[in-house]
C-alpha cells in the first residue's frame, strides 16, 4: 500500500495511507496522542520497577522512543516487544521528525538503533531499555502471562475490523500478566464489549485532543 509522510496539527509527522485515507496517528497531533494514550494513561501507572511492554503495531517507532524517554523519568527498566508485519522503510524513517519535535537530539542514535536492529533479537538499546522487534501478524501472538502493559495501536476498526475482535483481545488477555493493562485510542462500544467478553475490566477515559474518549482494559 502507498505510504506518504505528512505533518499533523502539533507539528509531528505521521504516515498517511491514501488508499484508506487513514493515518498511523491522529491528525490532531501524533506526539500529543502518543503521550496521552500510551504514556499518561498507561506507562505512568508504573514506576521504580522493571516492566514488560507489548506494542501492537511498532510502525514508526514513536511509541517505543517516547517510552524510552519517559522510562528514564519514571525510573523504569523496560523490556519492550514491538510487533510489526509491514515495517516502515529506512528512507521513510529518515523523514520522521520525532527526535527534533521531542527535543531529544541527544538520543538520535537511540531512535535510529530502534529501527536498524535485527528482527527477533532482544537488543540492549540502553542500560534501562531492551527492545525485541518481531515481524509477525497480530493473530500469531501466542505469548502467555508475559507483559505488564500493552499498547494496542492497530489501524481503526473501520479499516481492520478483524483486529478489534474477541479473538484478538483473547490473545492480548492471555499475553498479559495478572493485573496487566491494555490501552488504546479507540472508544468504540463494540470494542469495549469485545474486551469485556474475554474478561477485561474496561474503563472509559478522556481521549487525546480531537477525541472524546479512549479505553483502558485491566486483566
Ligand atoms: C496505526 S499504525 C501504528 C503504528 C505505530 N504504533 C506507530 O506509532 O507508528 C498500525 C501498525 O500496525 C501494522 N499492522 C497492521 N496490520 C497488522 C497485522 N495484521 N499484523 C501486524 N502488524 C500489522 C501496520 O503496518 C502499522 O505499522
Amino acid at each position: 500500500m502507498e505510504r506518504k509522510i505528512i505533518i499533523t496539527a502539533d507539528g509531528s509527522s505521521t504516515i498517511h495511507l491514501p488508499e484508506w485515507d487513514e493515518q498511523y496517528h491522529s491528525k490532531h497531533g501524533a506526539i500529543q496522542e502518543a503521550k496521552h494514550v500510551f504514556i499518561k494513561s498507561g506507562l505512568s501507572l508504573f514506576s521504580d520497577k522493571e516492566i514488560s511492554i507489548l506494542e501492537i503495531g511498532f510502525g514508526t517507532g514513536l511509541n517505543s522512543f517516547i517510552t524510552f524517554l519517559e522510562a528514564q523519568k519514571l525510573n523504569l527498566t523496560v523490556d519492550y516487544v514491538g510487533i510489526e508485519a509491514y515495517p516502515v522503510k529506512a528512507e521513510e524513517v529518515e523523514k520522521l521528525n520525532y527526535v527534533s519535535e521531542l527535543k531529544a537530539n541527544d538520543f538520535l542514535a537511540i531512535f535510529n538503533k530502534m529501527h536498524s536492529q535485527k528482527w527477533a533479537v532482544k537488543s540492549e538499546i540502553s542500560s534501562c531499555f531492551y527492545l525485541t522487534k518481531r515481524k509477525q501478524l497480530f493473530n500469531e501472538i501466542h505469548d502467555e502471562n508475559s507483559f505488564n502493559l500493552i499498547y494496542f495501536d492497530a489501524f481503526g476498526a473501520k479499516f481492520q475490523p478483524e483486529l478489534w475482535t474477541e479473538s484478538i483481545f483473547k490473545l492480548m488477555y492471555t499475553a498479559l500478566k495478572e493485573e496487566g493493562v491494555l490501552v488504546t485510542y479507540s472508544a468504540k462500544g463494540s470494542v469495549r464489549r469485545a474486551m469485556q467478553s474475554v474478561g477485561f475490566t474496561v474503563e472509559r477515559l478522556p481521549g487525546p485532543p480531537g477525541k472524546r474518549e479512549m479505553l483502558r482494559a485491566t486483566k
Side-chain angles (χ1 to χ4, degrees), residues 157-182:
K158 188 173 158 196
F159 305 101
Q160 292 192 300
E162 70 283 6
L163 298 181
W164 299 87
T165 53
E166 277 181 35
S167 63
I168 293 286
F169 289 122
K170 180 86 192 132
L171 298 179
M172 300 297 113
Y173 190 88
T174 304
L176 281 173
K177 296 180 182 174
E178 280 307 312
E179 297 181 11
V181 171
L182 177 153

Side-chain angles (χ1 to χ4, degrees), residues 81-106:
V81 175
I83 309 293
E84 178 57 64
Y86 315 103
V88 172
K89 298 190 187 84
E91 56 269 32
E92 294 171 308
V93 171
E94 265 176 39
K95 294 185 192 146
L96 299 170
N97 67 6
Y98 301 137
V99 173
S100 58
E101 285 297 308
L102 287 161
K103 300 188 176 38
N105 295 312
D106 291 351

Side-chain angles (χ1 to χ4, degrees), residues 55-186:
E55 179 174 22
I56 297 305
F58 182 80
T60 62
L62 173 60
N63 293 334
S64 92
F65 188 58
I66 296 188
T67 299
F68 160 77
L69 296 174
E70 296 294 326
Q72 302 185 82
K73 299 179 197 161
L74 295 165
N75 193 28
L76 289 169
T77 297
V78 179
D79 190 352
Y80 198 101
V81 175
I83 309 293
E84 178 57 64
Y86 315 103
V88 172
K89 298 190 187 84
E91 56 269 32
E92 294 171 308
V93 171
E94 265 176 39
K95 294 185 192 146
L96 299 170
N97 67 6
Y98 301 137
V99 173
S100 58
E101 285 297 308
L102 287 161
K103 300 188 176 38
N105 295 312
D106 291 351
F107 301 109
L108 173 63
I110 296 271
F111 182 69
N112 288 335
K113 194 168 164 186
M114 287 177 171
H115 280 286
S116 62
Q117 85 166 58
K118 286 197 180 119
W119 294 90
V121 176
K122 181 168 168 172
S123 297
E124 183 176 338
I125 297 289
S126 81
S127 59
C128 63
F129 196 97
Y130 295 82
L131 175 65
T132 311
K133 293 190 297 180
R134 291 184 357 208
K135 195 169 172 183
Q136 67 176 159
L137 291 165
F138 301 143
N139 61 10
E140 296 167 347
I141 295 171
H142 295 298
D143 302 76
E144 290 179 21
N145 261 322
S146 304
F147 299 98
N148 301 100
L149 179 61
I150 295 180
Y151 295 162
F152 197 87
D153 199 16
F155 291 122
K158 188 173 158 196
F159 305 101
Q160 292 192 300
E162 70 283 6
L163 298 181
W164 299 87
T165 53
E166 277 181 35
S167 63
I168 293 286
F169 289 122
K170 180 86 192 132
L171 298 179
M172 300 297 113
Y173 190 88
T174 304
L176 281 173
K177 296 180 182 174
E178 280 307 312
E179 297 181 11
V181 171
L182 177 153
V183 273
T184 184
Y185 65 85
S186 176

